[in-house]
Amino acid sequence: QRLFAESSVIVTPHGAHLTNAIFARSSTALVEVVPWSLPGWDAYANLTRDLVPGYGRLHSLRPSPAFRGRWVSLSRARCAAHALCKKEVRDRAPLRPLLQEVHTHLRATLGASQVRAWCDVAREVPEVVAAVAYDEEDRERLAAARAQPGGDCAGTSAS
């Protein structure tokens, strides 16, 4: 409760703890990262959207091939339609948010004067901003994020 009440920015995985959004300030930027296998899951979206105007939800990228789940070779739609695949990926696969999408949401919510430009972040922390796409949907998301103003940083490792 206290963390939500005192934070100005919260980036968190999907989960029951989002009910604590009732304690967040109206100025808080809250980003929920939803597992890749739950594309249409809106469990906490309506609650948090009403309570926190700065709420945004982003979906994780496809799990890395290093994740050894038996369902990971399925498409997102097929995995979402299969209860065991959804559960395994939700419970065991690491979340892989596209950091450029998180950054875009935070700049839109908090204002450009409060959040440094993406290219500045990319220059200083290149290992954090590197994104790897494992399927066509991820490649499209990465291309769209890079097409945002300031998203394509020529001369940096984020380009």
Side-chain angles (χ1 to χ4, degrees):
Q1 295 172 0
R2 187 172 168 193
L3 177 68
F4 275 75
E6 295 176 356
S7 298
S8 58
V9 175
I10 301 169
V11 179
T12 182
H14 166 77
H17 62 281
L18 284 167
T19 57
N20 287 314
I22 62 173
F23 301 105
R25 296 175 293 192
S26 61
S27 60
T28 299
L30 173 61
V31 178
E32 173 190 13
V33 181
V34 180
W36 172 82
S37 63
L38 303 174
W41 189 255
D42 286 336
Y44 302 102
N46 293 330
L47 169 72
T48 32
R49 194 175 294 115
D50 292 342
L51 295 171
V52 184
Y55 169 76
R57 64 199 298 265
L58 303 173
H59 281 87
S60 178
L61 298 171
R62 172 184 277 283
S64 159
F67 173 67
R68 298 288 182 215
R70 65 181 182 187
W71 306 100
V72 80
S73 63
L74 294 179
S75 69
R76 183 192 308 241
R78 288 194 61 200
C79 182
H82 197 290
L84 290 176
C85 180
K86 277 196 307 193
K87 181 175 179 4
E88 181 173 303
V89 173
R90 180 197 69 205
D91 294 347
R92 294 185 47 230
L95 289 176
R96 298 181 56 238
L98 185 54
L99 295 180
Q100 286 162 301
E101 290 175 343
V102 173
H103 182 267
T104 298
H105 175 77
L106 294 177
R107 273 181 75 94
T109 302
L110 300 173
S113 64
Q114 299 296 312
V115 180
R116 296 175 58 211
W118 177 255
C119 292
D120 292 340
V121 174
R123 276 188 208 86
E124 291 184 23
V125 196
E127 63 277 2
V128 173
V129 298
V132 178
Y134 295 111
D135 64 14
E136 189 58 36
E137 183 178 347
D138 287 354
R139 281 188 279 283
E140 290 171 9
R141 284 178 58 198
L142 186 56
R146 287 183 173 154
Q148 294 292 319
D152 186 18
C153 304
T156 72
S157 61
S159 62

